[in-house]
Amino acid sequence: MTSALFGDDLLERPRRVVAPGAVHVPGWLRPEQQSWIADRFREWAAGPVPLRAASVRGHEMSVKTVCLGWHWQPYRYSREATDVNGARVLGFPDWLVRVGRLALAEAYGEGEQAERYTPDTALVNLYDDQARMGMHQDRDEASREPVVSLSIGDSCLFRFGNTETRSKPYEDLVLASGDLFVFGGPSRLAFHGVQKTFPGTAPPDCGIRSGRINITLRVTGIDDASTRTAGRGTP
């Protein structure tokens, strides 16, 4: 990254390895890319499966989600949104596969892992200024390929922890619009969550006036003949 490409403001937010396998890349998406993806989000949220708040152990989440490729519901994936309206989930677009591969190349370096990375589901979350995400593991996938996270809109306080417990040690960091966060390898099952969002921090050219869009790309490791029900994770 250079100031010529990304602006002097990002010099205070350097790319860094937060934990083994967990990499934060500030400002990875350019404003025009963020705006274009925000437009796609509005298309996805229109259906056939609408944006909805999932219920976990009888409690409705404060975050609203729409899915691509596979529909996530606690604690399984399916092609049809049986917990919403029974409609088949939208397909996973090829351009998001390319984004996932570019993200892994950015985080881990170009090589076979990035070239073969083929995410088949995206959990797209919308946070308003009251939304939170408790500490959890992403373990509803049969695959343990890395998770790619993209942020657009308001900044949030993101907590990234360890693989054994929801409590310390963990680290709090700010994820801003355009940021990339990848976690895999030793950190693939690390507990993580969103402590709060910061209203009014969305850049004027990111495509969303308020709130935060978070896209997480994953490899489910399942096929149409089966769904995974043994996990205990949330997006």
Side-chain angles (χ1 to χ4, degrees):
M1 290 186 178
T2 67
S3 59
L5 287 174
F6 296 101
D8 292 336
D9 57 316
L10 289 179
L11 296 179
E12 297 179 0
R13 303 178 65 239
R15 175 194 188 279
R16 69 188 189 94
V17 177
V18 177
V23 182
H24 178 211
V25 185
W28 188 66
L29 290 173
R30 299 190 304 272
E32 63 268 25
Q33 293 172 324
Q34 298 171 45
S35 181
W36 188 86
I37 293 174
D39 286 341
R40 304 291 78 72
F41 166 76
R42 284 182 275 271
E43 295 173 358
W44 302 333
V49 180
L51 197 67
R52 65 74 163 97
S55 292
V56 179
R57 294 183 289 275
H59 299 282
E60 190 173 272
M61 297 173 65
S62 59
V63 173
K64 294 184 178 180
T65 306
V66 64
C67 302
L68 307 174
W70 289 90
H71 178 75
W72 177 85
Q73 53 183 300
Y75 297 96
R76 58 188 293 264
Y77 285 100
S78 60
R79 292 294 192 188
E80 290 77 31
T82 56
D83 62 332
V84 183
N85 59 5
R88 188 176 178 85
V89 69
L90 287 169
F92 191 86
D94 290 341
W95 66 266
L96 269 181
V97 175
R98 295 193 294 272
V99 168
R101 290 173 178 171
L102 289 170
L104 252 65
E106 175 69 39
Y108 301 148
E110 296 182 0
E112 183 180 351
Q113 184 180 23
E115 292 173 358
R116 64 178 170 79
Y117 185 65
T118 307
D120 60 346
T121 190
L123 277 62
V124 188
N125 296 321
L126 178 64
Y127 291 76
D128 62 20
D129 59 4
Q130 299 299 315
R132 307 286 186 273
M133 182 76 73
M135 294 292 281
H136 65 279
Q137 295 171 300
D138 290 345
R139 58 181 305 144
D140 291 338
E141 300 78 30
S143 169
R144 291 297 179 253
E145 287 290 308
V147 173
V148 170
S149 173
L150 303 170
S151 298
I152 298 172
D154 285 335
S155 299
C156 77
L157 185 64
F158 179 66
R159 178 166 291 175
F160 193 77
N162 63 86
T163 60
E164 303 299 326
T165 174
R166 290 178 172 83
S167 59
K168 293 181 178 180
Y170 54 70
E171 180 173 351
D172 289 344
L173 61 150
V174 173
L175 296 182
S177 193
D179 284 10
L180 166 68
F181 193 88
V182 178
F183 57 101
S187 292
R188 175 57 178 81
L189 292 180
F191 284 91
H192 58 283
V194 173
Q195 301 302 296
K196 62 180 177 178
T197 57
F198 300 101
T201 55
D205 51 0
C206 72
I208 177 173
R209 293 182 178 179
S210 63
R212 173 178 181 256
I213 298 169
N214 176 233
I215 302 175
T216 59
L217 309 181
R218 305 148 186 243
V219 179
T220 63
I222 58 178
D223 56 34
D224 287 311
S226 64
T227 58
R228 183 172 177 82
T229 60
R232 286 295 180 270
T234 57

